[in-house]
Amino acid sequence: MGPADRDLTHAAPRRSEHNSPTMTSWQDLVGDGNEAHLVADGAMGTMLMANGLEFGDPPEVWNLEHPEIIRRVQRAYADAGAQILLTNTFGGNRLRLELHGRADRVSELNRTAAILARVEANAADHPVIVAGDIGPSGQIMTAIGGTLTPDIARDVFAEQARALAGGGVDVFWIETMSDLSETVAAIKGARDASPDTPVIATMSFDTRGHTMMGVTPEQAASALLEAGATAVGGNCGNGPDELVPVIERMRAAYPDAILVAKGNVGQPQLVGLTAQYDTSPETMAEFAVRFREAGANIIGACCGSTPLHLRAMAEALAGETTRAS
């Protein structure tokens, strides 16, 4: 049993899968706008690797091969306080799945992932929604010297989003993007697939306050909101500290926007064949409060995080809410 497996043992006892008579919607949680403060979940890949996923293997296949593990991870995050559960579909587009000989299973893998997350969301003892996770295509856009055109990218992302919508997600969650043209293509593709489903879009500002492709927080917020995103922000990166100024800059530029902060648990250190992170749950709890003070409305964690990190963050945010009321 690895560290992440032990984290799962701290989850609360299993709830009834039929204790929620009606599903919660994005609008139920968000209300009238950017006054909402929500807790998103933590890492999926980190947890799956702790449960046996081999480096380089597609995590999405586990939706079919090990659905009980996917559900257990999502259950632990919900029990830790998450109000938004992301599906296990980060690499679920056909270009990435093609690398593993599974390009023909986009619909099956994404729909199944949405259904698994829905079961756990409905079973939670507090309102939880399902976010259909959409990561980068894995290819380089023509705007920066690659071969992937905006039209093809849009079609690729629309295909994935259509499958996620078919499985019943409440929102689309586009994340870990570096290039603006790809992110905009993903937003447009998601809206093509399901025009009424809200779209959240975040980029990774891991290069001195810019994305790897040189995009600033202000440029990102402007382009993504204009493309139709309901909420924007930052995720992943080198650690939670670099995300605070990103949120501050977005909030200054767009006072009315709904902003997302979902940072990594520090930098990974390779120990043998395992990536380990040294940022404690207590430190992440402190950063959760800092994210909110910077202007974030939706706060979660990314690579390296576990339900223990998420629980500490949720409790810190709840405590801040109590003291402020």
Side-chain angles (χ1 to χ4, degrees):
M1 178 183 287
D5 295 285
R6 288 194 290 273
D7 293 339
L8 293 179
T9 67
H10 287 75
R14 186 72 176 103
R15 298 92 64 216
S16 165
E17 294 187 7
H18 304 287
N19 68 347
S20 180
T22 59
M23 290 191 298
T24 303
S25 72
W26 165 258
Q27 195 59 46
D28 291 334
L29 288 184
V30 147
D32 294 329
N34 72 349
E35 294 304 312
H37 289 100
L38 307 175
V39 178
D41 65 8
M44 174 61 76
T46 297
M47 299 300 294
L48 296 188
M49 292 188 76
N51 280 275
L53 177 70
E54 295 291 335
F55 183 79
D57 286 349
E60 295 75 21
V61 174
W62 277 37
N63 295 327
L64 302 176
E65 295 180 353
H66 301 290
E68 73 287 352
I69 295 178
I70 304 300
R71 284 185 55 189
R72 192 164 74 234
V73 171
Q74 290 170 328
R75 184 182 315 153
Y77 280 127
D79 287 340
Q83 297 162 282
I84 305 175
L85 294 179
L86 274 64
T87 57
N88 178 40
T89 54
F90 178 79
N93 65 75
R94 72 170 180 263
L95 296 179
R96 291 180 70 116
L97 290 174
E98 186 176 39
L99 300 175
H100 305 282
R102 294 179 171 89
D104 60 340
R105 305 187 76 179
V106 171
S107 179
E108 181 183 22
L109 292 172
N110 282 276
R111 285 175 63 91
T112 301
I115 292 168
L116 294 177
R118 170 60 63 202
V119 171
E120 294 306 321
N122 287 359
D125 60 5
H126 60 277
V128 177
I129 62 172
V130 175
D133 194 12
I134 298 174
S137 66
Q139 296 193 10
I140 299 175
M141 301 292 291
T142 52
I144 51 174
T147 59
L148 183 61
T149 68
D151 286 345
I152 292 176
R154 182 170 177 170
D155 181 67
V156 165
F157 290 122
E159 178 186 26
Q160 182 181 9
R162 197 171 296 115
L164 289 167
V169 301
D170 300 293
V171 300
F172 296 122
W173 189 292
I174 298 163
E175 64 171 344
T176 325
M177 293 289 190
S178 296
D179 177 58
L180 267 184
S181 61
E182 182 176 21
T183 316
V184 169
I187 294 170
K188 291 181 177 179
R191 293 183 65 82
D192 290 342
S194 183
D196 296 330
T197 302
V199 180
I200 297 167
T202 63
M203 303 188 77
S204 183
F205 298 90
D206 54 5
T207 310
R208 297 183 298 279
H210 298 67
T211 74
M212 193 166 49
M213 301 304 175
V215 182
T216 68
E218 294 86 353
Q219 289 171 330
S222 175
L224 305 187
L225 290 169
E226 183 178 351
T230 303
V232 299
N235 81 292
C236 205
N238 298 309
D241 54 328
E242 72 177 9
L243 197 49
V244 173
V246 168
I247 298 301
E248 290 174 338
R249 290 171 62 178
M250 286 188 174
R251 176 58 68 211
Y254 292 91
D256 298 326
I258 299 174
L259 300 184
V260 180
K262 204 170 190 284
N264 278 1
V265 184
Q267 291 259 35
Q269 303 296 322
L270 194 61
V271 179
L273 295 177
T274 304
Q276 295 186 4
Y277 297 78
D278 59 6
T279 305
S280 69
E282 292 76 18
T283 299
M284 286 303 292
E286 294 171 2
F287 272 106
V289 174
R290 289 182 62 187
F291 290 154
R292 186 159 69 187
E293 291 173 345
N297 308 101
I298 302 173
I299 298 167
C302 206
C303 301
S305 61
T306 69
L308 289 181
H309 291 93
L310 207 285
R311 181 181 294 279
M313 295 172 73
E315 289 177 349
L317 291 170
E320 286 293 308
T321 299
T322 300
R323 284 193 289 273
S325 60

